[in-house]
Amino acid sequence: MPFGLGFHPYFHTPLGPMGTAESCEIAIDVTERWDQASISSPANVSSISEEEWPRKSLALSDLPATTQSSEGLARNHKFVRRAPPDGDIGLRATLTDNTNGIAAVLEASAEMSTLVFYTPPTAPVVSFEPHTCIPNGFNLKAAGIPDPGVLVLEPGQIWEAWYQIRTELLH
């Protein structure tokens, strides 16, 4: 049974009554950026150093937009984490609101190796989306794109993964 699984939790920004959404900071511990113009084009996969976003925290206002519409800017970035650094933790993404002294942290098991970061153009929210594969993985695999992350279970095989969201006080 081939499958892919993804979750789409959204976080309202700012995380408290003061400050602005655009001053909140984003950091995502991933190793590769995955860009693809269309299903028929090859994926452009690039390594991410520790000194660049998303591994280095940046304010939401400084993050690169992927689309511009009459409604505003949207950000839709796809990332992969190879070789989990902390044993069973595969992904870690943090939304930090220094004004309100709160951080929202998403962590996912090593089985969730892909993360989509998304902000819509009209709402003050961000989404850290842990996935087992690159979105549209089935079509990418069928088109011959290598390693989109689609999983296959054999008869009787069990697959498990987890993700968690927590808040932390900064002060």
Side-chain angles (χ1 to χ4, degrees):
M1 178 185 88
F3 76 99
L5 179 67
F7 298 96
H8 300 80
Y10 279 77
F11 303 87
H12 191 275
T13 55
L15 295 173
M18 301 177 295
T20 66
E22 294 296 313
S23 67
C24 290
E25 295 180 358
I26 305 296
I28 307 168
D29 189 17
V30 289
T31 58
E32 297 174 358
R33 181 175 287 107
W34 181 292
D35 295 313
Q36 187 169 21
S38 72
I39 192 75
S40 61
S41 67
N44 178 17
V45 179
S46 56
S47 295
I48 301 169
S49 79
E50 291 184 25
E51 300 304 316
E52 68 180 304
W53 183 79
R55 294 177 84 181
K56 179 182 176 184
S57 183
L58 277 180
L60 194 56
S61 61
D62 295 332
L63 298 184
T66 56
T67 57
Q68 171 80 44
S69 71
S70 61
E71 297 175 326
L73 297 175
R75 298 167 186 95
N76 188 357
H77 299 277
K78 297 169 185 73
F79 302 108
V80 176
R81 176 71 180 162
R82 303 284 184 201
D86 300 317
D88 65 315
I89 295 176
L91 296 171
R92 180 178 287 120
T94 306
L95 167 64
T96 303
D97 181 342
N98 288 307
T99 303
N100 290 290
I102 302 170
V105 179
L106 180 141
E107 292 177 331
S109 64
E111 295 80 11
M112 308 289 281
S113 63
T114 302
L115 187 125
V116 174
F117 172 74
Y118 177 71
T119 63
T122 58
V125 296
V126 300
S127 182
F128 297 127
E129 305 172 6
H131 292 246
T132 58
C133 61
I134 295 294
N136 203 18
F138 292 102
N139 290 326
L140 293 171
K141 187 173 178 122
I145 304 299
D147 199 20
V150 173
L151 301 171
V152 178
L153 291 180
E154 298 300 326
Q157 185 178 1
I158 295 173
W159 179 87
E160 294 181 7
W162 58 266
Y163 84 97
Q164 66 180 3
I165 298 169
R166 69 175 184 279
T167 57
E168 298 176 352
L169 293 175
L170 303 176
H171 308 272

